[in-house]
Amino acid sequence: MTKHQIEVITSVERRRRWSREEKERLVAATFESGASVSEIARSAGIYVSQLFRWRKELCQVPGPSIPQLVPVEVAAALPAPPTPVEPPPTSQLKPVSTLRRRRKPSMVTIELGGGRRLRVESDVDSEALGRILDVLERR
């Protein structure tokens, strides 16, 4: 004959109140190697979902608090650069190959076929791009 523990509830209240220590003991038992959460819940007389809820509540690690709002400072727009009235004399002009463009580069997408695409900036060296495309064409 085996002995079973029986809990008799004599008060009007039907819910059992679990202390934090009892909850922590049951939750800790679920983390032991080879432990079955179902068996632990059954032995305690609670539903498995209740034990998982306690695990979630007791094992929460608060993350770093991230500020929701960040102060922003609005500055006045910078004035446009003055435009030259006269172009410089031709003796002061540099050859086109040595000039660096001051424009904001944009992206160019080249469709290679077969679902392949190559994205380059608009100010890419055309000779280098030609060599790259030759290599890709051979593949």
Side-chain angles (χ1 to χ4, degrees):
M1 183 164 141
T2 59
K3 293 183 180 182
H4 295 284
Q5 183 178 1
I6 298 174
E7 181 180 352
V8 179
I9 301 174
T10 57
S11 66
V12 176
E13 184 180 23
R14 296 275 184 214
R15 288 186 173 185
R16 180 167 176 192
R17 300 289 178 191
W18 295 87
S19 68
R20 183 170 178 91
E21 291 79 25
E22 290 174 313
K23 291 178 184 180
E24 289 174 352
R25 181 182 54 80
L26 290 170
V27 167
T30 63
F31 289 112
E32 293 177 6
S33 65
S36 169
V37 178
S38 298
E39 290 177 12
I40 294 169
R42 193 177 310 117
S43 69
I46 60 174
Y47 290 106
V48 177
S49 61
Q50 180 67 55
L51 192 51
F52 276 112
R53 188 174 306 124
W54 288 347
R55 274 176 55 159
K56 185 177 180 182
E57 290 171 0
L58 295 174
C59 297
Q60 280 184 347
V61 178
S65 63
I66 300 172
Q68 297 298 321
L69 299 174
V70 180
V72 175
E73 189 175 314
V74 179
L78 296 174
T83 56
V85 178
E86 294 180 18
T90 56
S91 62
Q92 293 180 356
L93 287 178
K94 294 181 181 179
V96 175
S97 61
T98 60
L99 284 178
R100 290 198 48 93
R101 295 184 181 170
R102 298 278 181 199
R103 294 184 307 165
K104 180 179 176 184
S106 59
M107 295 300 291
V108 176
T109 303
I110 302 170
E111 297 285 337
L112 299 172
R116 298 184 309 169
R117 293 182 183 153
L118 178 66
R119 295 184 75 198
V120 295
E121 290 186 356
S122 59
D123 62 349
V124 68
D125 181 14
S126 59
E127 291 177 17
L129 180 60
R131 288 192 302 268
I132 292 170
L133 291 174
D134 286 341
V135 169
L136 291 174
E137 218 175 70
R138 293 180 199 146
R139 289 184 180 182

